[in-house]
Amino acid sequence: MTTAKLAIPPKLIPVFTKPKARYRGAYGGRGSGKTRTFALMTAVRAYQLAEAGESGVILCGREFMNSLDESSLEEIKQAIASVPWLAAYFDVGEKYVRTHNKRIRYIFSGLNRNINSIKSKAKILLCWVDEAEGVGEEAWRKLIPTVREEGSELWITWNRELDGSATDKRFIKDPPDNCIIVEMNYWDNPYFPSTLEQERQSDQRRLDPQTYAHIWEGAYLENSDKQVLSGKYEIREFEPGSDWDGPYHGADWGFANDPTVAVKVWVYDECLWVEYEGGKVGLELDDTGPFLRERIPGIEKHVVRADCARPESISHVKRRKDGLPRIEAAPKWSGSVDDGIAHLRSYKRIIIHPRCHETAKEARMYSYKVDRITGDIKPDVEDAHNHYIDAIRYALAPLIRGGKSAAVLIPRRRR
């Protein structure tokens, strides 16, 4: 048996190697490598099918496609040309791609206007839908049954936009059986080019955090009115000064599918500065100390205030030689969450270091509840996207005064 090596982002390897998956996909922001990788793997799949004696079609669809210029044709061509043995196997013309033995051919179609004509396409062995965010539920209902050959698959790539879109509901919120979908962003792509890195850094300086996160981190376009920290935070690099207050460390324990997390923050110039984070789902207590020591420099030397709901976890991590010897319970009181939010919003700005991806994500997604019928924003906060935010609250517990007044200690400005 002949084997060949392909260079693809490691996070996508399980997507293409999982046996008997009907649906394979990836969503995320710009520069993740997902589109180029899926284009390449359609060619690999075409090669495998043709060599196995199969004949049929690989359908490449997008929501809108008025001409081949708006299709995935060029991506397919470039992917094939990048691998010599694939380039030798395919007949690539100006407006077509097919294997030399003519067993497998590509067709390109828009789903918005041509969904009914797709039903007549013969023997679709693989369908790849790129830029799938805008594909509506009716289009999905019509498309999926047309990809019905034994062993056929449907691949999906997209950048999320609306929380609750048809694609979001079908493949993230309630994915079908035999489905493997992963989130891919630029930091998951070891081949992320320097040119794009320059563009990313420019956008990070120029754009508001919500727009930047949507473009580069695959985030939903959020309703800023419901976001707890809307207009309060930004993402940029910094180095703490010798006259900064802190550092303050906080930790939140994982429950079931929630991560155990910790943060390192500073206070200076009426601003809160988030320098380091560490977190992992399924982190064992014995591994908590080493894991956080590796990701948050010097954490073992400082007081770490952790969620007091798990005193046994605090005791265990404190006793271990490789643990956190100064970890202690953070106080809680009636209204402590509201007081903590008031305190966070009292800062002139919250500056999050770019390496703190998860904290930045929570700052964007930490939201007030919304009435399902009226759409009114409620004063209650959703119990979601709050693990790193809670860790920050615990870290700052000494600066927050409890009580119904929700008064806060405003950080002093250094002169």
Side-chain angles (χ1 to χ4, degrees):
M1 180 177 66
T2 302
T3 60
K5 291 184 178 180
L6 293 172
I8 69 173
K11 196 171 182 180
L12 286 176
I13 293 175
V15 173
F16 298 108
T17 56
K18 180 178 179 179
K20 299 181 180 179
R22 162 73 167 166
Y23 304 91
R24 307 180 195 269
Y27 63 93
R30 183 182 299 170
S32 65
K34 58 185 180 298
T35 298
R36 173 56 63 89
T37 303
F38 272 75
L40 174 64
M41 294 307 292
T42 64
V44 173
R45 183 64 173 151
Y47 173 89
Q48 292 172 330
L49 290 167
E51 286 295 290
E54 295 280 356
S55 296
V57 162
I58 291 181
L59 169 64
C60 297
R62 289 186 174 180
E63 180 190 11
F64 296 102
M65 200 196 88
N66 297 316
S67 69
L68 282 176
D69 291 338
E70 299 174 354
S71 73
S72 302
L73 174 61
E74 286 304 316
E75 286 283 357
I76 299 292
K77 286 183 178 181
Q78 291 177 28
I80 290 173
S82 70
V83 180
W85 59 271
L86 285 176
Y89 196 79
F90 281 86
D91 178 11
V92 178
E94 182 180 354
K95 296 184 179 181
Y96 68 86
V97 177
R98 63 194 179 210
T99 57
H100 276 301
N101 59 18
K102 298 183 180 180
R103 288 186 175 275
I104 305 295
R105 64 186 177 94
Y106 282 81
I107 59 174
F108 304 86
S109 182
L111 304 181
N112 184 267
R113 298 176 182 173
N114 303 320
I115 192 67
N116 290 321
S117 68
I118 289 175
K119 292 181 179 180
S120 64
K121 306 296 183 184
K123 202 173 182 180
I124 299 173
L125 302 176
L126 170 64
C127 175
W128 171 36
V129 181
D130 190 27
E131 299 182 0
E133 166 65 20
V135 178
E137 180 58 27
E138 181 180 0
W140 285 123
R141 286 201 304 265
K142 290 181 177 180
L143 172 65
I144 290 174
T146 68
V147 188
R148 58 179 178 265
E149 297 298 321
E150 186 68 26
S152 60
E153 297 182 5
L154 197 148
W155 297 358
I156 316 101
T157 49
W158 77 105
N159 187 356
R160 294 182 299 183
E161 183 169 329
L162 297 179
D163 186 354
S165 69
T167 301
D168 183 63
K169 288 180 179 178
R170 183 175 282 272
F171 297 107
I172 297 181
K173 296 285 196 304
D174 187 21
D177 295 334
N178 300 323
C179 174
I180 178 166
I181 305 284
V182 299
E183 182 175 4
M184 283 288 297
N185 288 303
Y186 70 90
W187 57 79
D188 298 311
N189 181 9
Y191 314 107
F192 185 61
S194 59
T195 301
L196 277 186
E197 174 60 13
Q198 294 173 10
E199 291 185 15
R200 185 195 69 79
Q201 292 181 9
S202 175
D203 281 354
Q204 194 171 53
R205 292 189 299 269
R206 181 175 56 87
L207 302 174
D208 64 89
Q210 288 82 10
T211 303
Y212 168 82
H214 169 63
I215 294 173
W216 289 98
E217 299 180 0
Y220 296 118
L221 281 177
E222 297 291 324
N223 176 357
S224 61
D225 290 337
K226 74 173 184 176
Q227 292 173 283
V228 175
L229 299 179
S230 175
K232 274 291 175 185
Y233 73 96
E234 61 183 272
I235 303 167
R236 61 181 167 92
E237 294 186 358
F238 61 87
E239 288 289 339
S242 60
D243 58 343
W244 289 24
D245 291 323
Y248 305 103
H249 296 78
D252 189 37
W253 304 109
F255 296 86
N257 295 322
D258 295 335
T260 291
V261 308
V263 294
K264 179 181 182 179
V265 303
W266 302 79
V267 173
Y268 173 72
D269 194 22
E270 299 181 28
C271 295
L272 177 67
W273 307 76
V274 184
E275 185 187 12
Y276 283 98
E277 69 175 20
K280 182 180 179 181
V281 175
L283 182 60
E284 297 290 341
L285 279 179
D286 288 351
D287 300 327
T288 297
F291 179 87
L292 295 178
R293 285 182 181 214
E294 181 180 347
R295 286 156 182 80
I296 304 178
I299 188 173
E300 72 278 4
K301 300 176 183 178
H302 295 274
V303 172
V304 181
R305 293 179 174 88
D307 184 358
C308 63
R310 296 274 293 275
E312 73 287 353
S313 297
I314 293 174
S315 176
H316 185 92
V317 173
K318 187 172 187 174
R319 291 196 314 267
R320 288 187 59 87
K321 290 182 179 180
D322 57 358
L324 305 175
R326 301 186 66 187
I327 191 169
E328 62 181 47
K332 288 185 181 180
W333 57 89
S334 177
S336 59
V337 174
D338 291 337
D339 290 357
I341 290 173
H343 182 80
L344 292 178
R345 290 200 59 84
S346 75
Y347 290 100
K348 185 171 61 178
R349 297 291 285 172
I350 299 173
I351 295 90
I352 303 171
H353 197 285
R355 61 174 157 253
C356 300
H357 298 300
E358 297 303 319
T359 304
K361 183 185 295 185
E362 287 196 356
R364 182 179 69 250
M365 300 182 72
Y366 191 43
S367 301
Y368 293 104
K369 294 180 180 178
V370 178
D371 188 279
R372 294 184 180 180
I373 298 176
T374 66
D376 294 337
I377 297 173
K378 299 180 178 181
D380 305 316
V381 178
E382 293 181 353
D383 186 18
H385 312 299
N386 55 1
H387 309 296
Y388 293 83
I389 299 295
D390 285 348
I392 292 173
R393 288 196 301 106
Y394 300 145
L396 299 175
L399 307 184
I400 305 171
R401 290 176 180 167
K404 296 180 180 179
S405 65
V408 298
L409 291 172
I410 304 298
R412 67 185 184 278
R413 181 177 182 129
R414 291 280 188 172
R415 299 295 183 182

